[in-house]
Amino acid sequence: MLPFKAVSLLQLRPLLSEPEPYDCEVLVVGAGPSGAELARLLAQAGVDVLLVDRLKNLGQAAFSSAALPLETLDRFGIPAHVVAARWSGWQLVGPGEQRRLWSAEQPLGAVLDFGALRQWLAGQAQAWGARLQLGVTAIGWHQDGAGVCTVVRDGAAGRRLLRSRWLVDASGEGRALIGEQAKLADPLVAGLGVEWLLQVHPEQYRPWADRLSFFLGSDWVRQGYGWVFPMAPGQLKVGVCRLADPSRAQPALALELGALVQRCGLGQTEVLDRHGGRIRSTVRRHEPHRLGRLIGLGDAVSTANLLGGEGIRHALASARVLAPLLLKALAKQAGCAVLDQYPSLLRRELGWRWSLSGRLARRTWLGLADARADARLERLLAGLQTRRAEDLSALLFEYRFERYGLKALPYLLGWR
C-alpha cells in the first residue's frame, strides 16, 4: 500500500524516462521557520539542499502571533530588524471587563514580524548554499529505491519531477505530503485564527505598548481568546483564535474579531492587513514522523503549542533536532536506523510539559463556552494576582504550571 498522498508509478510514468541524477540530496517542502532553519543547517554542513515553498513572496500570508521569550532571540540568532516590538508585561482582560496587569522592570520578550522572519531565515539558508524556489507546490511523492521522487507544480514549468535522497515535509499544519496517519488513534485538534494589523494614533497605541494583552472569557471569544500585541510604533496586531468544536455551532471569527476591535476602542482605525490561519496538532503527538525517506518537521508533526497558539520556537527547535540525525543518515548513504531516534529526541527537547499543554488547551478552550466556565476561569486567574510577570512568562512559554501553586492543581487535573 502506498503512503498517504503518495503518487503511483502509473501517475509518474509521463514524467519518467531514463533514470536521472538526483536534483538534490535533500528536498525541503515549506520555507517556514522549521524548513528554512533545517535547510540552513544542512547547507552549512555542505549538503546540497533545495528549499521550495508554495508562496511567491515569503512576506505574504504572515499570520502568526509571533510573541517569543527574549532568550529565543539569542538562541536562534534572530536579528533586530525582524523584531517589531519588545514587551515587558502582561495584561489579562476578562472574564467580563476585569483587567489584570503584570509588569517587569526589564523586557521579557519580543513580537516578531513573521514575514520578515521567514525572509531572513530563507536568506540565511541561501547564504550557505541552499537553493530556494518559490511558487512551487508539492502535490505527491513516491519512494524510488534509495531515493524519493516528488511531483511539484509551479507557474513557470508546470508539473515536474524532483529527485532527492531525502524528502522533508515542512509544509505546516496542512501536512501536504506526510498526511494524517494518526487521525484515528490521536485525532487532530484544530485552532482557527483571524488577525488584523491596525494603524493607530499614538494615544491609541500607548495603552497596548510594552505588553501582551489577552482577552479571556466566553463574552469575548467563545471557546477561544483574543489578543492585542504591539508592533512597530503606531501599529497593533489584533486577533482572535478558538478551537474548532464539531459538536456545536460557532459564530464567524471575523464577527468576533470585529466586536473585540470595537470594545477596545479601535473601531475607527485603518486596517493595513487582514489574514487568517489554522493551527493543528494531535494532543499526544504520537503520529509517525517518518515514512521511508519522507520525514515530517515542525507543525507537520504537531510541534505547535495549542495552549497559546504558538509554534515558531518549537518549529526552529525541531529543525535543530532533525539536522544532525539527517546528516548521519546521509553520511551512511543507505542507513536510516539513526532517524528512528527522531520522535523521542524531539519529545525530550520540547519536554513533558509541552505534551501536557495540549491536553490543557483542549480542556481550557473547548470548555470556555458559558458563564459557569467563566467563573472557573475567574477563580484560576484570581490566584495569579500575586504572581510576577516573569511567572506568567514561565507558565505560557515554558509550561511551568507549578508556578500557579497548589490552588490551581484541581483545575489542571480537571477536577473543577
Side-chain angles (χ1 to χ4, degrees):
M1 182 179 293
L2 290 171
F4 183 89
K5 283 200 176 181
V7 178
S8 71
L9 289 175
L10 288 177
Q11 291 172 293
L12 290 175
R13 188 163 291 161
L15 300 175
L16 292 171
S17 54
E18 294 300 319
E20 296 179 8
Y22 291 114
D23 295 283
C24 57
E25 290 183 280
V26 179
L27 173 62
V28 181
V29 175
S34 65
E37 175 70 354
L38 179 69
R40 180 189 70 81
L41 293 170
L42 295 179
Q44 196 171 2
V47 176
D48 180 17
V49 184
L50 175 58
L51 177 64
V52 302
D53 196 277
R54 62 180 180 80
L55 294 177
K56 294 182 179 180
N57 179 356
L58 294 178
Q60 295 174 341
F63 176 75
S64 174
S65 57
L68 300 169
L70 208 56
E71 60 89 19
T72 303
L73 302 182
D74 294 331
R75 182 185 177 191
F76 295 103
I78 297 174
H81 79 270
V82 174
V83 175
R86 292 175 182 259
W87 51 270
S88 57
W90 299 84
Q91 179 176 222
L92 301 185
V93 182
E97 299 299 328
Q98 181 161 287
R99 293 173 181 257
R100 297 177 173 91
L101 182 63
W102 297 260
S103 296
E105 295 182 359
Q106 302 295 328
L108 297 176
V111 181
L112 305 184
D113 180 330
F114 188 57
L117 173 68
R118 287 196 298 197
Q119 291 174 317
W120 173 74
L121 286 169
Q124 289 290 298
Q126 288 181 287
W128 284 102
R131 289 172 286 149
L132 175 65
Q133 295 181 7
L134 299 178
V136 176
T137 302
I139 58 177
W141 71 282
H142 179 80
Q143 188 156 322
D144 182 19
V148 186
C149 297
T150 306
V151 180
V152 300
R153 181 179 59 240
D154 65 56
R159 194 165 174 258
R160 57 193 173 98
L161 190 69
L162 293 173
R163 294 175 173 85
S164 59
R165 296 189 185 278
W166 290 92
L167 171 63
V168 177
D169 185 353
S171 61
E173 58 81 22
R175 293 161 160 79
L177 298 175
I178 203 164
E180 300 176 11
Q181 298 85 0
K183 182 162 55 176
L184 296 179
D186 189 9
L188 284 164
V189 178
L192 305 174
V194 178
E195 193 171 61
W196 292 352
L197 181 64
L198 305 181
Q199 183 74 50
V200 300
H201 297 297
E203 60 270 21
Q204 293 174 305
Y205 180 81
R206 196 171 299 113
W208 310 103
D210 303 324
R211 67 190 63 163
L212 301 183
S213 299
F214 289 94
F215 300 83
L216 308 174
S218 61
D219 63 323
W220 286 99
V221 181
R222 185 167 297 182
Q223 296 186 292
Y225 57 94
W227 64 87
V228 175
F229 289 175
M231 296 292 285
Q235 294 183 3
L236 297 173
K237 184 184 290 187
V238 185
V240 294
C241 181
R242 67 163 178 242
L243 292 193
D245 186 354
S247 67
R248 71 174 74 205
Q250 294 178 309
L253 268 180
L255 295 178
E256 302 234 61
L257 177 54
L260 185 147
V261 168
Q262 292 291 335
R263 289 176 68 176
C264 290
L266 302 171
Q268 303 304 312
T269 57
E270 179 185 0
V271 181
L272 300 177
D273 189 23
R274 292 179 173 89
H275 42 255
R278 182 173 66 169
I279 182 173
R280 295 195 303 167
S281 175
T282 58
V283 173
R284 295 181 180 87
R285 299 179 170 98
H286 287 159
E287 68 256 53
H289 288 50
R290 179 168 67 90
L291 298 175
R293 288 181 173 267
L294 168 66
I295 308 169
L297 183 67
D299 287 356
V301 289
S302 298
T303 59
N305 167 21
L306 289 170
L307 184 61
E310 177 218 4
I312 294 174
R313 290 181 306 136
H314 298 158
L316 292 168
S318 69
R320 294 200 171 184
V321 171
L322 178 58
L325 299 175
L326 193 48
L327 287 173
K328 290 179 181 178
L330 284 164
K332 294 179 181 178
Q333 297 299 321
C336 299
V338 66
L339 286 161
D340 293 340
Q341 305 172 46
Y342 173 41
S344 61
L345 290 176
L346 183 57
R347 284 192 291 270
R348 184 185 304 172
E349 168 69 21
L350 299 179
W352 65 269
R353 290 182 175 86
W354 163 73
S355 181
L356 177 61
S357 71
R359 296 193 292 274
L360 183 59
R362 185 164 58 181
R363 166 175 165 72
T364 299
W365 303 129
L366 287 181
L368 196 59
D370 51 35
R372 182 179 177 183
D374 288 348
R376 187 172 63 243
L377 178 63
E378 170 63 32
R379 291 195 297 272
L380 184 66
L381 294 178
L384 283 175
Q385 197 66 56
T386 59
R387 302 293 173 179
R388 303 176 306 150
E390 291 86 348
D391 293 329
L392 268 71
S393 293
L395 168 70
L396 293 177
F397 290 120
E398 301 173 27
Y399 321 121
R400 299 280 178 179
F401 302 111
E402 65 270 21
R403 298 288 182 94
Y404 269 105
L406 293 177
K407 290 183 179 180
L409 187 61
Y411 179 88
L412 297 175
L413 295 177
W415 294 345
R416 71 183 186 198

